[in-house]
Structures are given as structure tokens and as C-alpha cells.
Amino acid sequence: MRYYVGVDGGGTSCRARITDHHGHCLGEAKTGSANILLGADVAMASIIDAIATAAAGLTEDCYPAMSVGLALAGAEQRSAWYEFMAQPHPFGAVSLNTDAYGACLGAWDGNDGAILIAGTGSCGILIKDAKQHVVGGREFPISDQGGGAVMGLRLIQQTLLAHDGIRPMTALAEHVLDHFNRDIDAIVSWSKTARPCDYGQFSPAIFAAAYRGDALGIELLNQTAADIEMWMKALIHRGADKICLMGSIAERIKPWLIPPLQQRVATPLGDAMDGALAMARSCHNLYPL
């Protein structure tokens, strides 16, 4: 293989990084969702789009010389994994594992270690003695506590309670109502087709409101911190010492954690695309083909 490609795909975005066989970065790009549970074809289209955008100056004739490591949300679901891998693709080789696995490889430079990834969704993983131990990560809405989608769902729920006079109205709840033009029916209709990333779009507003002293924002961040503490304790119970917090939510939640768990937080050595690139250099498939 003349090129190695690392792809980190989640519920909100898909990032690709291309290197030559010496490890020199040739390009990066970001496109739409690559959660394979939202559709294998949708994820594949985002991946090919990201690689094509990152591969500026490279033609499609180069694709057969590319080995691609895919660290994708939803890959833990066995049937979805096999459905995705059954699709045709133009690349020389493809290795598929979860986004959490790729993030863990990247965070610990390919060595044993633990991470908690919390972006749109959430998942904890410990790689130890060639085995991976996973907590959570079973997708929104039944899992993913500590992630942006669950935060957004809780915000919508509490906003509706405030609208009904069951809890105090705050500026954050007003922000949500204004987003939907203060039309409750519009919120209900939106919820019927809303994806995890649609709920996750409200997480920046929650952080901002909490730091302004908004009672609802503080309540939601405290709940998110408690969720992340739950996952961290589960990883520690399985043998983790230090844990890297990764993802748009996890990277900002540390000040809200209890001090003993703040002391367990480590700084990642690399990101999920570094891990995906490591996957591209050897087979890291989650399931056998």
C-alpha cells in the first residue's frame, strides 16, 4: 500500500486523514455523519466523500493503493458491521472497528490504556492484554449517557416541563422555545424524526448557560458529569488506572467531575484518526470476515 487512511466517523461528522507510507500527512477533511446504524450506504458515502476531499491532488486511480482504517460509531452492532463490510468499495483494504477503539489506540499511541469518549454519543473502552473491555456505547436513546444527544434530549424534556409551569423557566429553556419559534407542536413534530446530532446541537448552549449561572444548564451539566463518572468508575473497576477523556463533551466536563476522578484523567497522546491510521497498517477488524 502506498497510502494509509484513517477515518473517524461519528453521529455528527466524519473525518479522514491520509498519509503516505512514510507517515507524512497528505491531507485531512471532514464531512457528514458516518454512524453505520444510520445506514451503511449513508456512512460509506460520507467516508468516500471525506477521503476524496482529503486526497486533494490524488485521483481515484490511487484508491486501490489505499489501506483504510475505519473507526466508526455503530460498528459494535454485529449485523450493522457485516452489512457495512459487505458493500463494494474502491479501496485496496479496509479494517473496521468502533470509534471508541480507534480513539483508544490513538490516545495511548497503540499501547494499552483506557478512554471515555463523549461527543454526540458516549462509550468507554479499556484495551488491556490484547483484549478490549467496553462499557456503554449502545446508541441513543437507550445508552450514550454523558453524550450530547442525551444532554439535548433532557434539555427538550425539561423545557417542556418549564413551558407547562412544572419547573421554573430559565434563559436556557427560553432559548430552546425560541429555536422552535415558541411552537410546542413544532417540537413534537421535530422529535419524531430527530437524529442524535439534532439533539446534540444544543450541547454548546447548555455549557454556555451553565457558565452564566443558568439553573437548568447547571443541572444538566451536573447530570452529564455524573454519567461520565459512572463510566469512569466502570473502567477503573475493570482495571484502568488513568483515563483519557475525548470528544466535544468529555473534553469540557473535567471541571464538573468530583476531585478523585479529576485526578484519574490523562492527556491523550493522539486522536481517533491517529488510531484509525494504526488500524490501516494492520488488521483490526472487530469481527471476523
Side-chain angles (χ1 to χ4, degrees):
M1 295 297 169
R2 289 185 289 133
Y3 307 101
Y4 294 98
V5 184
V7 177
D8 171 37
T12 303
S13 65
C14 173
R15 300 181 300 157
R17 179 181 298 159
I18 300 177
T19 72
D20 61 21
H21 64 284
H22 295 298
H24 301 134
C25 184
L26 302 179
E28 294 187 13
K30 179 178 178 180
T31 55
S33 171
N35 183 326
I36 65 175
L37 292 183
L38 299 179
D41 55 341
V42 173
M44 182 65 82
S46 291
I47 290 161
I48 292 175
D49 186 21
I51 292 173
T53 306
L58 299 178
T59 67
E60 292 184 6
D61 294 340
C62 297
Y63 288 1
M66 292 181 179
S67 178
V68 182
L70 300 174
L72 304 183
E76 69 281 351
Q77 220 280 347
R78 184 185 294 266
S79 61
W81 189 95
Y82 279 105
E83 180 184 357
F84 180 89
M85 292 295 277
Q87 294 182 101
H89 62 78
F91 309 111
V94 168
S95 181
L96 173 61
N97 211 305
T98 67
D99 52 345
Y101 182 85
C104 197
L105 278 184
W108 294 98
D109 197 25
N111 298 310
D112 286 358
I115 63 111
L116 177 60
I117 183 169
T120 304
S122 68
C123 184
I125 181 169
L126 166 66
I127 299 176
K128 185 175 182 181
D129 300 328
K131 294 182 180 179
Q132 54 176 311
H133 308 268
V134 178
V135 296
R138 293 179 178 86
E139 298 296 322
F140 177 85
I142 63 170
S143 184
D144 284 2
Q145 295 94 329
V150 169
M151 289 175 67
L153 173 60
R154 288 172 175 157
L155 172 59
I156 296 295
Q157 292 170 334
Q158 298 307 310
T159 296
L160 293 176
L161 292 177
H163 175 270
D164 290 345
I166 296 170
R167 64 167 298 148
M169 182 65 69
T170 74
L172 178 57
E174 294 280 8
H175 168 78
V176 174
L177 291 174
D178 289 342
H179 179 85
F180 291 99
N181 297 316
R182 309 190 78 81
D183 184 345
I184 300 302
D185 286 343
I187 298 177
V188 175
S189 297
W190 169 87
S191 73
K192 301 305 181 184
T193 58
R195 299 169 299 168
C197 60
D198 297 323
Y199 284 101
Q201 70 176 308
F202 294 103
S203 60
I206 295 172
F207 274 95
Y211 280 106
R212 288 195 300 267
D214 185 278
L216 176 55
I218 291 171
E219 177 184 322
L220 292 170
L221 274 198
N222 280 331
Q223 180 62 65
T224 297
D227 289 339
I228 288 177
E229 289 166 1
M230 172 184 69
W231 298 131
M232 291 181 70
K233 290 174 182 176
L235 290 169
I236 292 166
H237 179 73
R238 285 161 175 77
D241 179 21
K242 296 287 188 176
I243 302 169
C244 294
L245 300 183
M246 307 179 73
S248 59
I249 305 301
E251 291 167 0
R252 292 185 287 170
I253 204 67
K254 183 179 176 181
W256 298 80
L257 302 177
I258 60 175
L261 289 180
Q262 288 188 28
Q263 295 170 10
R264 293 276 193 165
V265 176
T267 301
L269 300 176
D271 62 16
M273 285 194 290
D274 291 319
L277 282 166
M279 290 169 55
R281 291 183 174 272
S282 60
C283 183
H284 288 263
N285 281 330
L286 179 58
Y287 299 111
L289 285 170

